[in-house]
Amino acid sequence: MTKEGKPDRLRQMGALNPKPEGVRAPWFREAGFFDPLDLVQVKYEMLRHAREEGTNKADAAALFGLSRQTYYQAEAAFERDGMSGLLPRTRGPKSAHKLTGEVMRLVEEHLDANGQLQARSLADLVHARLTAGPPSGGPGACETGHQRPSSQHRTRGGA
């Protein structure tokens, strides 16, 4: 891998250290094997330095330009999964978590001849068939989608 291509590849993998200038460990400052751009390598060396050299965790994190929180997260991931625990993970849901098989069957049953379905009518249909109560997001719904209590149920000042 060429030196010019490595930062691009690290960025694609989510392993590009956003603050390589924060790495103050002398062995990273010398040209050679250690690369402050490689976040996986930086995290591993931070853990190794604390464990093998007896440096406290806060000082090790500071020496490598990382936070104590990052140290503890890296330590837990390394203990759980070894080196692979230090590799970046994709964030967010790993699969469609709101579209259950039941919802998808309902959608497929109600597609029109053109394979289209209006979003609002689909939401109303799903809500009518699969839930109890009025659709969330309508009048009276709060930001979380739950119905707000009507004014007759609210109390003010304990009254």
Side-chain angles (χ1 to χ4, degrees), residues 107-118:
V107 168
E108 290 167 1
E109 288 172 13
H110 288 85
L111 287 175
D112 68 14
N114 297 327
Q116 296 180 347
L117 189 62
Q118 297 296 318

Side-chain angles (χ1 to χ4, degrees), residues 13-121:
M13 294 174 48
L16 181 66
N17 187 355
K19 298 181 182 176
E21 66 281 355
V23 179
R24 295 181 292 118
W27 54 99
F28 274 84
R29 290 283 150 229
E30 302 162 4
F33 180 77
F34 296 103
D35 185 355
L37 293 173
D38 187 336
L39 189 57
V40 175
Q41 189 178 59
V42 170
K43 287 179 181 180
Y44 177 79
E45 282 298 306
M46 171 185 67
L47 295 174
R48 189 202 60 77
H49 185 66
R51 194 172 284 177
E52 299 299 318
E53 307 297 325
T55 304
N56 77 47
K57 296 173 181 185
D59 289 344
L63 182 64
F64 289 87
L66 301 171
S67 68
R68 282 186 8 231
Q69 179 181 3
T70 298
Y71 180 95
Y72 289 111
Q73 289 171 343
E75 182 179 50
F78 185 75
E79 287 175 4
R80 183 184 60 243
D81 301 324
M83 277 297 277
S84 66
L86 300 180
L87 295 171
R89 301 219 190 289
T90 56
R91 292 177 168 79
K94 306 302 180 257
S95 63
H97 61 287
K98 292 185 179 182
L99 294 177
T100 64
E102 188 178 19
V103 171
M104 288 308 299
R105 280 189 295 280
L106 189 61
V107 168
E108 290 167 1
E109 288 172 13
H110 288 85
L111 287 175
D112 68 14
N114 297 327
Q116 296 180 347
L117 189 62
Q118 297 296 318
R120 184 73 244 166
S121 61

